[in-house]
Amino acid sequence: MEVNIKRLAEELNLSIATVSRALRDSHEVNPETKKRVLQLAAKLNYQPNPFASSLRAQKSKTIGVIIPEVDNNFFSLAIKGIEDVAQEKGYHVLVYLTHENVIKEVEITRLLQGGRVDGILMSVSSETAHIEHLLELQKKNIPIVFFDRVCEALDPPKVTTDDYESGFKATEHLVESGCKRIAFLQISNNLSIGRKRFKGYTDALEKNQLSFDESLLIVGTKNEVENYAAIKQMLTSANPPDGVFASVESLAITTYYVCKEIERKIPSHVKIISFSNLTTAALLAPSLTTITQPAYNIGKEAMTILFRLLKKNNYPYKKHVVLSSTLIKRDSTSPL
Amino acid sequence: MEVNIKRLAEELNLSIATVSRALRDSHEVNPETKKRVLQLAAKLNYQPNPFASSLRAQKSKTIGVIIPEVDNNFFSLAIKGIEDVAQEKGYHVLVYLTHENVIKEVEITRLLQGGRVDGILMSVSSETAHIEHLLELQKKNIPIVFFDRVCEALDPPKVTTDDYESGFKATEHLVESGCKRIAFLQISNNLSIGRKRFKGYTDALEKNQLSFDESLLIVGTKNEVENYAAIKQMLTSANPPDGVFASVESLAITTYYVCKEIERKIPSHVKIISFSNLTTAALLAPSLTTITQPAYNIGKEAMTILFRLLKKNNYPYKKHVVLSSTLIKRDSTSPL
DNA sequence: CTGTTAGCGCTTTCAG
DNA sequence: CTGAAAGCGCTAACAG
């Protein structure tokens, strides 16, 4: 037998309304009665049915987090930040993975239009060029906050790393280390993070009187094998780079694999720098200089902003919060 | 204006019941009518209210995942496995982090007793010695499947790595590498994974005629500083180990930090082996031999079993599924 | 301070 | 094949 308000009311000879009020700690209920209600509720281990309340109140105290992947320390840490704030505010967190697939992204946003969530935190999939599904959410007045991979064409709040700065300082780091021909491994041309990091890279080159060589740009795909081949071709070309800037971790890893294979065929002084949140990797790999994003804080900040939107308390908040990355330098020069 | 069944019914001059039936593809509705309904629903982008259905049906098509942490590749990958199966089966995934804190774990399980989830996937927090909150869930008939960190005292299905085997082969690996004094870094005495890995360790020692030296056992706590101090003391003692088996990644990392600090004071041939799912770390750190758990498959398997329980289709399934880990050997001998 | 009642959106008898 | 109506559990008027 389920224990619900009706049951409590019967056992206490009270109306369900009074019990409901007592449970919500209303001030218009006799302290004595309140106590009796709470005691019985505790004794029977009463738990309110969230669907009944949600149906009534038309809100769910639940948010949806839509991300491309999770097997990547950045998103794990972001989820942690999100969850911490959510738990503190009494919100529940639904997690959805798109696997970088727009079709799935659209399906998920559709699903969430039924009222299941009060708001959405989102990092767009790399393919996202169309934005109709995001507009639909706006039309339904479901607040969104973008984080990391934002949709620049839309006006909802955004929380990101200082991607341009990061690209700039990563490149300068390689220049300072003596690199003259610096390759750039791009995640995707459809993502603002990629474009901004790339702009930082080209600007840093220019500032240092280095010209941008198109043959040193590789745009990654979802196909690891393709990426591997492209990187290998570049590193074994007649005029290979002496430095590699991976704008995303997976491409740095692939680069390491390539280096391992061709070990003897390339100059051993190729320097690699990469975006990465695997502090472990950075620690264990003396050769990997990394740009580490404030993943946890990005999640925290995004959730905090979403919470304010949900509460409609018109706190002032920045439309676009930019958090700084950290450059963790390593000493060794060779990746191997 | 919300678009709900009532709205559709009005616009089509049909009853609410018929529309509902059409949407659920009931066979007792005129194909013509069905078509009209579906067309309008698509046009108005109708999304059913999940709370109304859940309230009615007394089920939520949602599962809860309760884990200690997420900033650790094991749980990230497990979530991915869980999410993949859940998405395929039309389930939603709520994620809760306990931060290894039983109080939070209890709070969360309480929260989930209200019907918010149909079932729970859980990896217990390291402190969990009490199990009342888990019994409560059973009493409420909320199916649970434990994964990785299981509660052996309870009968719900479990999905784990072959912890005993892993402990055994990790230890043998060190023995084969020439180690005679192998330290064991334990995660917690309250966890079955810790106990089993430890048993594998002692059995492997015995098999190789090595005696277990209590001074080489360190039981980790949540306090990193304490762990650091304990490991440092051991490594700098008069009779230090020549091999270290970290039964959990974080303790391996701490060991590396210690080694870095005392670099010149210990024999440089201390070998370290650790549980770790950071394939990146393993790849980049030529010195780290790792035991990698099948995290993704553990998540997948656990969710699959839970799904069967939810469907009550009495498929035969094993009460305890044990998946094998992989020993990834590295060549280098020194951790530094 | 307490009780009665309507209704959130949906599904499902039960009647036609 | 379609409609009317009850009810899932809870909250919030409104009435006492």
Side-chain angles (χ1 to χ4, degrees):
Chain A
M1 177 58 206
E2 282 308 312
V3 0
N4 51 24
I5 285 194
K6 197 173 151 202
R7 164 99 176 272
L8 295 179
E10 280 166 4
E11 299 215 7
L12 292 165
N13 276 318
L14 285 169
S15 75
I16 55 177
T18 306
V19 174
S20 175
R21 276 188 283 250
L23 291 169
R24 329 209 85 235
D25 202 24
S26 159
H27 29 261
E28 48 174 357
V29 60
N30 188 320
E32 194 54 43
T33 319
K34 198 183 283 183
K35 210 171 125 192
R36 285 174 57 221
V37 172
L38 294 178
Q39 274 177 354
L40 185 65
K43 184 182 154 207
L44 297 184
N45 191 17
Y46 165 78
Q47 294 296 333
N49 182 316
F51 302 125
S53 329
S54 292
L55 181 57
R56 184 79 236 272
Q58 301 286 39
K59 55 192 182 55
S60 60
K61 286 285 226 174
T62 302
I63 61 132
V65 177
I66 305 177
I67 52 179
E69 292 292 345
V70 74
D71 54 343
N72 150 326
N73 232 39
F74 175 79
F75 287 114
S76 305
L77 287 170
I79 287 184
K80 186 176 177 176
I82 291 166
E83 230 275 335
D84 280 1
V85 177
Q87 225 170 80
E88 181 194 321
K89 307 291 190 190
Y91 274 77
H92 299 257
V93 180
L94 282 168
V95 173
Y96 298 89
L97 306 181
T98 65
H99 295 261
E100 305 278 13
N101 181 338
V102 201
I103 313 261
K104 267 198 178 149
E105 189 175 299
V106 173
E107 271 175 18
I108 293 163
T109 53
R110 282 274 156 69
L111 223 46
L112 296 188
Q113 286 178 42
R116 191 180 296 271
V117 298
D118 294 341
I120 291 175
L121 293 177
M122 182 158 185
S123 222
V124 300
S125 104
S126 62
E127 291 175 12
T128 301
H130 8 46
I131 55 170
E132 297 83 21
H133 58 302
L134 303 175
L135 292 172
E136 277 177 9
L137 289 171
Q138 295 202 276
K139 220 181 301 172
K140 295 242 178 179
N141 286 316
I142 300 175
I144 312 182
V145 175
F146 291 110
F147 68 100
D148 194 50
R149 302 206 195 167
V150 307
C151 185
E152 287 186 307
L154 295 176
D155 62 308
K158 301 165 185 62
V159 181
T160 63
T161 308
D162 57 346
D163 292 297
Y164 173 82
E165 296 302 318
S166 301
F168 195 92
K169 67 187 176 194
T171 308
E172 285 229 301
H173 170 75
L174 290 176
V175 172
E176 283 162 14
S177 310
C179 298
K180 299 283 181 207
R181 285 180 54 73
I182 301 171
F184 185 88
L185 307 185
Q186 173 68 298
I187 173 172
S188 153
N189 285 326
N190 287 326
L191 288 174
S192 60
I193 54 169
R195 285 192 300 267
K196 289 189 174 171
R197 290 169 190 181
F198 181 66
K199 186 72 164 58
Y201 158 78
T202 51
D203 280 9
L205 288 184
E206 192 171 344
K207 183 191 157 201
N208 291 279
Q209 281 96 40
L210 292 171
S211 62
F212 165 57
D213 179 343
E214 207 157 324
S215 71
L216 295 180
L217 169 64
I218 289 180
V219 179
T221 69
K222 274 189 286 192
N223 185 335
E224 291 279 341
V225 178
E226 278 177 29
N227 296 341
Y228 188 93
I231 293 170
K232 183 174 169 187
Q233 198 195 330
M234 184 180 75
L235 289 179
T236 54
S237 69
N239 198 3
D242 55 6
V244 175
F245 175 19
S247 77
V248 67
E249 188 179 272
S250 60
L251 291 171
I253 307 299
T254 305
T255 306
Y256 273 91
Y257 275 117
V258 172
C259 287
K260 205 154 203 171
E261 187 202 329
I262 61 178
E263 205 157 354
R264 309 243 165 92
K265 301 182 194 155
I266 57 160
S268 67
H269 57 278
V270 173
K271 294 196 184 73
I272 301 182
I273 186 168
S274 174
F275 270 77
S276 169
N277 279 275
L278 290 172
T279 49
T280 326
L283 172 69
L284 299 179
S287 60
L288 185 64
T289 297
T290 56
I291 299 279
T292 299
Q293 296 180 261
Y296 177 78
N297 284 328
I298 287 179
K300 233 174 140 164
E301 188 68 30
M303 180 61 209
T304 303
I305 292 175
L306 181 58
F307 177 70
R308 286 178 187 166
L309 290 178
L310 292 173
K311 284 296 159 204
K312 294 200 176 58
N313 51 9
N314 291 319
Y315 270 73
Y317 63 86
K318 283 214 206 97
K319 263 302 196 191
H320 190 161
V321 175
V322 178
L323 302 181
S324 295
S325 62
T326 312
L327 180 68
I328 303 179
K329 292 182 191 175
R330 298 292 150 190
D331 21 36
S332 166
T333 54
S334 163
L336 292 172
Chain B
M1 177 58 206
E2 281 309 312
V3 6
N4 50 25
I5 284 194
K6 196 174 153 199
R7 165 96 177 274
L8 295 180
E10 281 166 4
E11 300 216 6
L12 292 166
N13 276 318
L14 285 169
S15 74
I16 295 178
T18 306
V19 175
S20 175
R21 276 188 282 249
L23 291 170
R24 326 212 84 233
D25 202 24
S26 161
H27 29 260
E28 49 174 356
V29 60
N30 189 320
E32 196 51 47
T33 319
K34 199 183 282 183
K35 209 171 128 191
R36 283 174 60 219
V37 173
L38 294 179
Q39 274 178 354
L40 185 65
K43 183 181 153 205
L44 297 185
N45 190 17
Y46 166 77
Q47 295 296 331
N49 182 317
F51 303 124
S53 329
S54 293
L55 181 57
R56 185 77 233 272
Q58 301 285 41
K59 54 191 183 55
S60 59
K61 285 286 226 173
T62 302
I63 61 132
V65 176
I66 306 177
I67 52 180
E69 291 293 345
V70 74
D71 54 342
N72 150 327
N73 232 39
F74 175 80
F75 287 114
S76 305
L77 287 170
I79 287 184
K80 187 176 177 177
I82 292 166
E83 231 275 336
D84 280 1
V85 177
Q87 226 170 80
E88 180 194 321
K89 307 288 190 190
Y91 274 76
H92 298 257
V93 179
L94 282 167
V95 173
Y96 298 90
L97 306 180
T98 65
H99 296 261
E100 305 279 10
N101 180 339
V102 201
I103 313 262
K104 268 199 178 146
E105 189 176 298
V106 173
E107 271 175 19
I108 293 164
T109 53
R110 283 274 155 68
L111 223 47
L112 297 188
Q113 286 177 44
R116 191 181 295 272
V117 298
D118 294 341
I120 292 176
L121 293 177
M122 182 159 186
S123 224
V124 301
S125 103
S126 63
E127 290 175 12
T128 302
H130 6 46
I131 54 170
E132 297 83 21
H133 58 300
L134 303 175
L135 292 172
E136 277 175 9
L137 289 171
Q138 296 203 273
K139 220 181 303 173
K140 295 242 181 182
N141 287 316
I142 300 175
I144 313 180
V145 175
F146 292 110
F147 67 100
D148 193 50
R149 302 205 194 169
V150 307
C151 186
E152 288 186 306
L154 295 176
D155 62 306
K158 300 165 185 64
V159 180
T160 63
T161 307
D162 57 345
D163 292 297
Y164 173 82
E165 296 302 318
S166 301
F168 195 91
K169 67 186 175 193
T171 308
E172 285 229 302
H173 170 76
L174 291 177
V175 172
E176 283 162 13
S177 310
C179 298
K180 301 282 181 205
R181 287 181 54 74
I182 301 170
F184 186 87
L185 308 185
Q186 173 70 297
I187 173 172
S188 152
N189 284 325
N190 288 326
L191 287 175
S192 59
I193 53 169
R195 286 192 301 267
K196 290 190 173 171
R197 291 170 190 181
F198 181 65
K199 187 70 166 54
Y201 158 79
T202 52
D203 281 7
L205 289 185
E206 193 171 342
K207 182 190 160 202
N208 291 279
Q209 281 96 41
L210 292 172
S211 63
F212 165 58
D213 180 343
E214 207 157 325
S215 72
L216 295 180
L217 169 65
I218 289 180
V219 179
T221 70
K222 274 188 287 192
N223 185 333
E224 290 279 341
V225 179
E226 278 177 30
N227 295 342
Y228 188 94
I231 293 170
K232 183 174 171 187
Q233 199 196 330
M234 184 180 75
L235 289 179
T236 53
S237 69
N239 199 2
D242 54 7
V244 175
F245 175 18
S247 76
V248 66
E249 186 178 275
S250 61
L251 290 171
I253 306 299
T254 305
T255 306
Y256 273 92
Y257 275 117
V258 172
C259 286
K260 205 154 203 171
E261 187 202 329
I262 61 179
E263 204 156 355
R264 309 243 165 91
K265 300 179 196 157
I266 58 160
S268 67
H269 58 279
V270 173
K271 293 197 183 69
I272 301 182
I273 187 168
S274 174
F275 270 78
S276 170
N277 278 275
L278 290 171
T279 49
T280 326
L283 172 70
L284 299 180
S287 60
L288 185 62
T289 296
T290 55
I291 298 278
T292 299
Q293 297 180 261
Y296 176 78
N297 284 328
I298 287 180
K300 232 173 142 167
E301 187 68 28
M303 181 60 208
T304 302
I305 293 176
L306 181 59
F307 178 71
R308 287 178 187 168
L309 291 179
L310 293 173
K311 285 296 160 202
K312 293 197 178 59
N313 52 8
N314 291 318
Y315 269 73
Y317 64 86
K318 284 214 206 99
K319 262 304 195 189
H320 190 160
V321 175
V322 179
L323 303 180
S324 296
S325 61
T326 312
L327 180 68
I328 302 178
K329 292 182 190 175
R330 296 292 147 191
D331 22 36
S332 166
T333 54
S334 162
L336 293 173

